[in-house]
Amino acid sequence: MFNKFLNFIKKSTSKNILINSVGNYTNVFFTAFFAFLLVRIMSPSEYGILSVLLGIAYVLANILDFGTTASIYSYLPLLIEKKRNKAFVFLKTVFFFQTILSLIVVLFFLIFFPYFDKIFFKTNVSIFDLYLTTFSAIFFIWQNYIINSLNAVKKFLYSNIILNLSNIIKTLFIFILYKINFVNVGSIIFTFGILGPSIFFLILIFEKYNTIKNVLKAKIEKEEFKFGYTISFFIASQFFNLALRMDLFLLSFFYPQSPQIGYYGLAQKIILTVLASITAITQVLSPNFSKINSKTQAKKEFKNGFLYLLIPAFLFIILYFTPEWIFNLFFTKKYQETIIITKLLGLSFILYVFFNLPYLFILYTAKKIFPILITNIVFFLIITFGCFFLIPKFGVFGPIIVIGFGFFCAFLIALFFALKEYQKLPNN
């Protein structure tokens, strides 16, 4: 038994997951540290507004991904192994089309964002802060593109080092803002959305100049963008990404500028620290799933994936039993209501952990988007309508019930489609 455990630990997948997990949790440490600082400086209402605006920036970044993440993990691992020059063409083409499409959407959003904020988000911040939020999405997009490209070729250590170097500089900058008494919603959005990614890019350019030069010299071949696969996944993924933010957005709609949003926003940040472990695992598993071509290989990857995903599932359970004094130590009694919200929200996310296995198989092995689309639409409808009807009745606890039920339904649908695709694989 002990030898089996040692062999499991020695696997390259285990090593990569360990590296990526350490890197991701270093990043999570900084995220938690930022929250630790900001909840002591900002009021719950102000922190709630910051959470809503950053949530909008992250949603925009996910929307403007245009499905390129799936394309990168599906095609780049094989290209970098067998057709290196073609990989440079692929990378430049993806970056070019993603940037052009993103800029078009951003220009549209810049025009209508003030109107959206007035009738829906109700943050009541300046137009400068709204524009800053919108431009932050572009920087997040470029940063995500680079991280996904590095991870797809298993450069997990490098991507995490430069990401956390930028975090160190962001931390120093926040201390400077605090010293000059300039910590506000706008300055923090600038720090997270503009300064942080810019530092990330500068480090990358300095360290990977030759690789970047090869990518820039490559041709743009529109067929490498994989329009059918990429745009289909883009449409499907937006339902899921929006669903994960609809709880906070609808809370902002029903309770504008309320401290309750700050409590719930902080709880989301804590949940995201656990989700980082899921991301660390799925980023490593994705290239492996893209190479599956038989039932034997599929069983092996499902077994490995299940064992690795037990870790974040266990973390959610630990979170539920974490003593209150630990929460108070980090976030002060001013955010006392965050404790019960966090614990219950964590339980609602446990099924999401294992939802990733059929999801990875459908997306990267079967390379089918329609099952993902159906699953995500159902999830989006459950979250949106569920929150709309339950938030007025149960307040911040309404979304917790809805999210748990939504993940349960999404898991069953994804599992059904994954088993259907699994049967199509050859035995060996």
Side-chain angles (χ1 to χ4, degrees):
M1 185 70 180
F2 183 71
N3 288 334
K4 286 184 177 180
F5 177 74
L6 282 179
N7 290 332
F8 183 73
I9 294 297
K10 289 178 181 178
K11 289 181 179 180
S12 60
T13 301
S14 298
K15 292 177 182 177
N16 285 330
I17 285 176
L18 178 61
I19 290 169
N20 208 30
S21 295
V22 170
N24 277 17
Y25 269 104
T26 305
N27 185 46
V28 164
F29 165 78
F30 282 106
T31 302
F33 184 66
F34 295 146
F36 177 82
L37 288 177
L38 294 175
V39 297
R40 282 161 169 74
I41 301 169
M42 308 173 87
S43 68
S45 297
E46 193 176 17
Y47 188 80
I49 291 171
L50 177 65
S51 298
V52 170
L53 291 178
L54 285 176
I56 292 168
Y58 295 142
V59 166
L60 264 180
N62 284 324
I63 290 173
L64 301 180
D65 175 81
F66 289 111
T68 57
T69 296
S71 183
I72 288 169
Y73 280 109
S74 291
Y75 296 101
L76 186 58
L78 290 174
L79 285 175
I80 207 72
E81 286 181 8
K82 300 178 180 179
K83 300 177 181 179
R84 193 171 182 82
N85 289 333
K86 199 72 173 177
F88 295 138
V89 173
F90 173 80
L91 287 170
K92 184 175 181 179
T93 302
V94 169
F95 180 80
F96 175 79
F97 281 107
Q98 184 183 20
T99 300
I100 294 297
L101 292 171
S102 298
L103 288 173
I104 293 171
V105 176
V106 162
L107 289 174
F108 172 84
F109 200 78
L110 281 173
I111 297 170
F112 292 99
F113 197 6
Y115 177 72
F116 293 152
D117 185 65
K118 184 178 179 180
I119 66 170
F120 189 81
F121 301 114
K122 303 175 184 178
T123 62
N124 200 33
V125 297
S126 69
I127 194 168
F128 176 77
D129 289 345
L130 297 179
Y131 287 168
L132 198 60
T133 300
T134 307
F135 280 115
S136 294
I138 292 288
F139 285 78
F140 286 138
I141 291 162
W142 290 336
Q143 181 174 281
N144 291 340
Y145 161 83
I146 294 167
I147 290 173
N148 288 326
S149 299
L150 290 171
N151 288 344
V153 296
K154 299 186 177 181
K155 299 291 184 181
F156 300 105
L157 179 61
Y158 183 79
S159 67
N160 281 294
I161 286 174
I162 59 175
L163 180 61
N164 286 299
L165 280 174
S166 72
N167 281 331
I168 292 172
I169 298 173
K170 280 192 296 185
T171 303
L172 295 174
F173 190 73
I174 288 177
F175 276 117
I176 293 171
L177 291 175
Y178 176 72
K179 286 294 184 181
I180 63 176
N181 196 28
F182 197 64
V183 174
N184 54 51
V185 171
S187 66
I188 297 303
I189 291 174
F190 171 80
T191 304
F192 290 164
I194 306 294
L195 179 66
S198 297
I199 295 166
F200 181 91
F201 304 145
L202 288 173
I203 296 172
L204 182 80
I205 291 169
F206 180 77
E207 287 291 322
K208 294 290 183 181
Y209 175 76
N210 289 331
T211 301
I212 293 171
K213 186 169 69 173
N214 287 330
V215 172
L216 292 175
K217 287 167 60 178
K219 296 179 180 179
I220 295 174
E221 299 178 1
K222 64 179 182 179
E223 60 272 14
E224 290 299 322
F225 191 61
K226 315 292 182 185
F227 275 96
Y229 180 84
T230 302
I231 299 302
S232 297
F233 178 72
F234 157 69
I235 296 170
S237 63
Q238 297 326 300
F239 286 101
F240 189 80
N241 294 329
L242 284 172
L244 288 181
R245 297 290 177 179
M246 285 306 295
D247 51 353
L248 190 63
F249 293 162
L250 284 169
L251 280 169
S252 179
F253 175 76
F254 285 110
Y255 303 101
Q257 302 178 49
S258 167
Q260 296 293 318
I261 304 173
Y263 302 141
Y264 192 88
L266 181 57
Q268 274 194 335
K269 289 286 192 303
I270 298 169
I271 295 300
L272 286 173
T273 63
V274 182
L275 294 185
S277 65
I278 302 175
T279 303
I281 292 168
T282 56
Q283 284 174 336
V284 176
L285 294 178
S286 295
N288 296 342
F289 270 82
S290 71
K291 298 176 183 178
I292 291 175
N293 54 28
S294 69
K295 288 181 180 177
T296 302
Q297 282 184 296
K299 288 177 183 177
K300 178 183 175 183
E301 293 303 330
F302 272 119
K303 181 181 177 181
N304 287 341
F306 178 79
L307 291 174
Y308 291 126
L309 287 171
L310 284 174
I311 298 169
F314 186 60
L315 291 176
F316 276 125
I317 295 172
I318 292 176
L319 183 64
Y320 181 80
F321 290 102
T322 301
E324 289 191 8
W325 66 266
I326 294 180
F327 286 94
N328 290 333
L329 177 65
F330 282 94
F331 305 112
T332 74
K333 291 186 177 181
K334 183 169 62 173
Y335 286 82
Q336 182 74 22
E337 290 189 40
T338 293
I339 300 173
I340 186 62
I341 296 172
T342 304
K343 291 185 174 187
L344 296 177
L345 196 59
L347 293 180
S348 295
F349 269 83
I350 286 181
L351 263 179
Y352 170 69
V353 176
F354 300 106
F355 164 78
N356 282 276
L357 280 176
Y359 187 91
L360 289 173
F361 181 80
I362 295 167
L363 184 59
Y364 298 124
T365 304
K367 292 182 172 59
K368 297 288 181 67
I369 304 300
F370 181 73
I372 301 294
L373 177 63
I374 296 299
T375 304
N376 291 354
I377 288 175
V378 171
F379 183 68
F380 173 78
L381 291 175
I382 290 172
I383 299 300
T384 302
F385 286 102
C387 287
F388 186 82
F389 288 109
L390 292 190
I391 285 175
K393 293 182 179 180
F394 301 105
V396 292
F397 297 100
I400 295 171
I401 301 168
V402 177
I403 288 171
F405 179 69
F407 278 132
F408 175 74
C409 295
F411 176 77
L412 291 181
I413 296 170
L415 184 62
F416 168 78
F417 282 114
L419 290 173
K420 190 176 178 181
E421 293 299 327
Y422 170 80
Q423 295 301 326
K424 298 178 183 179
L425 290 173
N427 290 325
N428 295 309

